[in-house]
Amino acid sequence: MPIIIGFAQQRRQLLESEIARIAGELPRLGVLRAWVTGEFGRGRVGPDTPLELVVVHDNPQPPRRRADFFVDHLRPRLATHFTVYTPEEAESLEERDRVLVEAIRLAEPIVG
């Protein structure tokens, strides 16, 4: 079975390009803060590494539907997962929610 050399670097470049594109659009969509988390946020890239974003956005939808807003408006070009908190949730959960704590403490913000 052949080994593909440089695939991780190619995937990294695709992820970085998508982050740059999305980060440029997020403020226009009303995003207050956003971080890249997950494997890529920790510097690990594999063949199927998705882009994982934690977002603070004033969104009246139920939590399970909030990501739909970003998928519809941004049309991600590769696997992208959005975890969306309202500003009120972010403030009240910033010390207790594992995903939010990791984003705030360990990830570089791309917005805010």
Side-chain angles (χ1 to χ4, degrees), residues 65-84:
R65 299 295 312 244
R66 293 178 190 161
D68 296 345
F69 174 85
F70 295 101
V71 172
D72 290 345
H73 284 81
L74 296 171
R75 306 250 184 238
R77 298 175 181 158
L78 47 84
T80 305
H81 306 283
F82 296 94
T83 302
V84 184

Side-chain angles (χ1 to χ4, degrees), residues 20-97:
R21 184 184 75 81
I22 287 174
E25 294 293 320
L26 291 177
R28 180 181 64 80
L29 296 174
V31 169
L32 303 171
R33 298 178 78 187
W35 302 266
V36 177
T37 61
E39 292 299 306
F40 183 66
R42 291 182 201 100
R44 295 186 285 249
V45 176
D48 298 324
T49 302
L51 183 56
E52 297 179 60
L53 299 167
V54 172
V55 177
V56 177
H57 180 250
D58 195 9
N59 189 318
Q61 295 294 318
R64 69 182 184 284
R65 299 295 312 244
R66 293 178 190 161
D68 296 345
F69 174 85
F70 295 101
V71 172
D72 290 345
H73 284 81
L74 296 171
R75 306 250 184 238
R77 298 175 181 158
L78 47 84
T80 305
H81 306 283
F82 296 94
T83 302
V84 184
Y85 296 89
T86 65
E88 296 79 17
E89 290 168 342
E91 184 177 332
S92 69
L93 297 173
E94 70 181 327
E95 296 295 323
R96 297 180 297 161
D97 183 271

